[in-house]
Amino acid sequence: MHHVAIVGSGPAGYYTAEALLRLWGEDVAIDIIDRLPVPFGLIRSGVAPDHQSIKAVTRRYEGVALNNNVQFAGNILIGKDISVDELMALYDAVVLATGAPHDRKLDIPGEDLPGVMGSAEFVGWYNGHPDHADLAPPLDTSHVAIIGNGNVALDVARILAKTPEEFHGSDIVAHALESLSGSRIRTINLIGRRGPHQIAMTPKELGELAHLERAAPRVDPTDFPDAGDDAMLEPGIRKSVSHLRAFAANPVAKPITIEFDFFARPVAIEGEGRAERVVLERTALDEELRSVGTGEHYSVPAGMVIACIGYQTPPIAGVPYEHGRGRFANTDGLILPGLYCVGWARRGPSGTIGTNKPDGAIIAERIVAETPTSPSRKRGRTGLHDLVRARKLDLVSFDDWQRIDAAEIAAARHGAPREKFVSVDEMLVTKSQ
Ligand code: NAP
């Protein structure tokens, strides 16, 4: 029997476990450890609540979790409750699949003003992540600035723009639905430091902006290069640009405007005691398509500023870390002998959920190739349970999670798949009932 600990129960963790089971079959015992009492990481806390079809992938992860050789160990924080060194002493391989749940910083003056937040916080708030349930975003403002031109910026703009009725069938948490219902937002500026050809938004997600009940996108036609230049783009981005061109050609008036502000980089956030405006510098592209400031400045009003500029993996004491890139220092997934990373913790926050499938398979193959074939002397799960007992940790099993899951489903409002618990205490009380 080989013993593997996977830290993180999101897509990268489950795809790695699935691949290990395929390669080692009955010869592996896998413990999937998560700091939260609930599994599925980004699927639960990151994927937009109105994109339920994407969340259906958890059925596949459940199949892995219910395998006899797999155990879920929730509510255990590696690096605090149990160290990575202790795990490495217990398991033949330890895989860090911790995702990238922390925000990258803008590093501009005013970033700490009330009303300024990162997408991890805001997305976590509307998705009911216990760390962000108390965020209280200032939705009493008429103007919001969203910084970044990726899919997360689109998610955030769409969630801010939707009517309460448009959340029917979603699992947006009650506190967010109630706050958004009273929102006074009229203008959402989507600020991109480069141009329409450089957006990181995918066509399906961008196309959704044209179908919102009370909000419509607006794009300045003068921001585009010649239409003929679109032919040089990859098909995906070409399709996205065709959406932007359609938005520019057919401006629609609705109560909320989603304004694309291209060629603008934030240089400061200003306000008396809270965010009131973002100061932007007009940019141009250099030969390598990087944005460079032109020296021309202007401001857009913004009582709330949400930076959607990418994420980073939280460092863990004793694990080599690449600060510039916000991920563990690794060579093709190997951090140290016996210690691996996978998914966003390995490559940074890029790609779709599906990208983690081949990523998990590569790490699993690597673990199989690098683990001695001789019988393991490691204690694996037995050793983990000894530590849990000695430290009086309140481990949450997959059975416990299924009780929490059932209670969330039972509490769902009409039409919703569930009402999530937003505090760890509520989750722990529920699993013990
Ligand atoms: P992203 O795709 O990397 O986009 C980040 C955006 O922020 C880029 O437009 C980038 O501009 C900009 N940016 C970075 N630093 C900046 C700064 N200092 N000032 C101003 N702008 C800055 O990241 P993301 O939107 O967080 O998404 C993360 C990953 O999750 C992506 O792979 C995304 O596709 C995926 N995702 C997918 C879905 C979906 O499929 N429905 C939904 C959400 C997220 P530059 O290009 O100039 O660097």
Side-chain angles (χ1 to χ4, degrees):
M1 186 63 90
H2 304 287
H3 301 282
V4 179
I6 297 176
V7 184
S9 68
Y14 272 105
Y15 285 124
T16 305
E18 186 184 72
L20 283 168
L21 289 172
R22 205 168 40 240
L23 294 167
W24 261 333
E26 289 295 307
D27 296 336
V28 63
I30 303 169
D31 292 339
I32 300 179
I33 304 168
D34 203 291
R35 76 183 188 92
L36 287 183
V38 292
F40 309 138
L42 188 83
I43 306 292
R44 181 178 165 103
S45 306
V47 171
D50 57 343
H51 282 173
Q52 285 296 311
S53 58
I54 299 179
K55 295 187 185 228
V57 73
T58 55
R59 294 274 163 269
R60 181 175 179 147
Y61 306 155
E62 255 166 31
V64 176
L66 293 171
N67 184 295
N68 286 337
N69 291 29
V70 176
Q71 176 196 256
F72 175 70
N75 198 35
I76 295 186
L77 179 56
I78 299 304
K80 180 170 167 273
D81 295 330
I82 294 175
S83 72
V84 168
D85 282 348
E86 285 171 321
L87 278 190
M88 289 176 71
L90 289 175
Y91 293 86
D92 297 299
V94 174
V95 185
L96 303 179
T98 46
H102 287 187
D103 283 307
R104 282 212 179 111
K105 301 296 275 178
L106 280 164
D107 283 332
I108 58 174
E111 189 168 15
D112 296 326
L113 280 172
V116 184
M117 64 202 77
S119 51
E121 292 172 275
F122 188 69
V123 171
W125 171 74
Y126 63 63
N127 271 331
H129 191 295
D131 287 357
H132 306 299
D134 297 331
L135 183 71
L139 295 162
D140 56 343
T141 179
S142 56
H143 287 72
V144 178
I146 297 176
I147 298 167
N149 272 179
N151 279 330
V152 171
L154 276 181
D155 279 349
V156 166
R158 194 182 65 255
I159 297 296
L160 285 171
K162 278 193 163 181
T163 61
E165 294 71 33
E166 286 173 289
F167 287 110
H168 184 80
S170 81
D171 66 349
I172 189 164
V173 292
H175 67 226
L177 186 58
E178 196 189 324
S179 302
L180 288 164
S181 303
S183 143
R184 296 184 51 230
I185 294 167
R186 287 293 167 262
T187 305
I188 299 170
N189 281 87
L190 268 173
I191 296 166
R193 60 183 174 181
R194 299 192 288 158
H197 274 199
Q198 287 76 40
I199 55 170
M201 299 162 169
T202 45
K204 184 172 160 291
E205 285 67 24
L206 193 51
E208 285 180 70
L209 292 192
H211 304 287
L212 297 173
E213 211 171 292
R214 66 171 173 191
R218 192 179 299 162
V219 180
D220 182 345
T222 64
D223 279 335
F224 292 94
D226 288 342
D229 292 358
D230 292 4
M232 292 182 297
L233 298 170
E234 297 285 324
I237 173 93
R238 199 185 317 141
K239 184 95 200 293
S240 292
V241 171
S242 75
H243 281 308
L244 289 176
R245 286 195 188 273
F247 298 161
N250 309 300
V252 178
K254 289 193 183 174
I256 299 179
T257 303
I258 302 174
E259 183 91 45
F260 282 79
D261 243 325
F262 290 114
F263 301 110
R265 83 180 174 96
V267 291
I269 300 164
E270 294 177 344
E272 289 302 316
R274 61 173 280 184
E276 290 174 10
R277 72 197 81 85
V278 183
V279 182
L280 300 165
E281 182 179 17
R282 220 8 100 218
T283 63
L285 297 181
D286 69 8
E287 284 181 356
E288 268 141 36
L289 301 178
R290 288 177 303 213
S291 69
V292 283
T294 61
E296 179 195 338
H297 292 87
Y298 66 104
S299 301
V300 291
M304 177 156 76
V305 180
I306 308 173
C308 304
I309 59 168
Y311 299 119
Q312 44 194 344
T313 299
I316 301 180
V319 180
Y321 190 78
E322 253 184 86
H323 281 277
R325 303 178 82 165
R327 62 183 195 190
F328 295 116
N330 73 94
T331 310
D332 298 330
L334 181 73
I335 302 175
L336 297 167
L339 182 63
Y340 302 83
C341 55
V342 67
W344 282 6
R346 176 182 80 79
R347 59 176 202 276
S350 65
T352 62
I353 288 157
T355 313
N356 295 298
K357 198 172 160 217
D359 213 63
I362 290 167
I363 292 302
E365 279 160 25
R366 187 162 193 166
I367 291 170
V368 170
E370 293 174 359
T371 304
T373 49
S374 52
S376 171
R377 296 199 181 144
K378 302 287 179 106
R379 297 186 63 228
R381 189 167 299 168
T382 319
L384 179 73
H385 282 271
D386 284 350
L387 279 181
V388 165
R389 261 190 304 277
R391 290 177 195 174
K392 299 188 169 47
L393 304 175
D394 194 359
L395 182 146
V396 174
S397 68
F398 205 76
D399 283 352
D400 293 335
W401 150 244
Q402 287 181 313
R403 266 191 296 282
I404 297 171
D405 189 29
E408 289 190 343
I409 292 168
R413 64 184 170 271
H414 174 65
R418 67 178 62 244
E419 185 59 56
K420 290 178 193 164
F421 293 113
V422 302
S423 90
V424 167
D425 286 347
E426 280 176 318
M427 295 170 186
L428 295 179
V429 167
T430 306
K431 69 110 179 164
S432 310
Q433 279 169 351

